[in-house]
Amino acid sequence: MNQKYWDELAENFNERVFEIADNELNQALATTIKKLGKQSRTAGDFACGAGGTTAALAAHFEQVIAVDYAAKLLQQACKRVKGDNIRFVEVDLTKNKSTAIKVDVGFCINALIHPVAKKRKRIAATVFRSLNQGGKAVFIAPSLESYLRTYQVLAEYLVSAGKNRKKTVRKISATAQKEIFSLVEGIADVGAVATKHYLHDEFAQFLEGI
Ligand SMILES: C[S@@+](CC[C@H](N)C(=O)[O-])C[C@H]1O[C@@H](n2cnc3c(N)ncnc32)[C@H](O)[C@@H]1O
């Protein structure tokens, strides 16, 4: 999961990668963006990808800085989101002092997913370092609870459709064993790629620690 990996996903990014801003059912991110846009002037979209969140930010903040290290994704974002109030910057967020950017609110959506803990920590630290005094940060990351719950929901569905419970559970457990690379570390398969997932408490503690 490096720069090349992300650049190779650039074509049809929004069909190949789940973009929360375009797909959320409860509008939690949209509502948060709207609320913070009324209180603050500048926003950073850290690891902006193809600009799914950038578009929403540009509509509610005076200035938006969208950052990513994948050049092709930045190009996609640039084409997709037009506006005088957006600046696109190519930066590796794991690099120390990687950005002189300062914003009132930092958004970091589904970017703390690398299986290597050090890389995740560095990205989160860069986001915090980029905040003006009194600034706020919004982080979204994949949920381990949701990942595990999927197996239960599938099992319940199949049993309710008439399948044998014991056999069904055994089959789904075997799939889970293949798909969850490390239960302890919350590393699980997403599109054949090892992806970090967080327990709710774990994520709060992780961010507090940084
Ligand atoms: C799952 S995508 C999320 C994109 C976008 N935030 C969204 O919600 O649609 C993860 C993004 O993180 C970016 N990324 C990962 N590591 C990075 C790093 N070290 N520096 C900058 N961008 C990084 C990738 O290039 C990719 O665009």
Side-chain angles (χ1 to χ4, degrees), residues 33-109:
I33 290 173
K34 212 169 165 183
K35 184 176 148 200
L36 292 174
K38 284 188 185 138
Q39 302 165 1
S40 318
R41 222 175 55 74
T42 54
D45 188 359
F46 293 94
C48 64
T53 310
T54 318
L57 295 178
H60 294 282
F61 285 84
E62 270 177 58
Q63 288 293 327
V64 176
I65 302 174
V67 184
D68 207 287
Y69 70 169
K72 284 190 186 157
L73 283 180
L74 275 177
Q75 280 166 20
Q76 296 277 335
C78 214
K79 268 194 226 158
R80 181 178 178 183
V81 196
K82 305 272 181 220
D84 293 343
N85 64 337
I86 312 158
R87 183 154 65 92
F88 293 95
V89 183
E90 192 179 324
V91 153
D92 183 342
L93 294 164
T94 61
K95 299 278 184 241
N96 252 350
K97 297 185 186 148
S98 56
T99 155
I101 292 164
K102 287 286 174 197
V103 289
D104 299 327
V105 190
F107 290 82
C108 184
I109 314 300

Side-chain angles (χ1 to χ4, degrees), residues 23-35:
N23 294 291
E24 60 173 351
L25 297 178
N26 64 1
Q27 296 296 296
L29 176 60
T31 309
T32 303
I33 290 173
K34 212 169 165 183
K35 184 176 148 200

Side-chain angles (χ1 to χ4, degrees), residues 1 18 38 49 51 77 112 116 119 140 145 154 167 170 184:
M1 199 186 272
F18 181 78
K38 284 188 185 138
L112 304 175
V116 175
K119 291 193 187 253
I140 296 179
E145 284 93 342
L154 178 61
K167 277 188 191 161
R170 205 180 309 131
V184 174

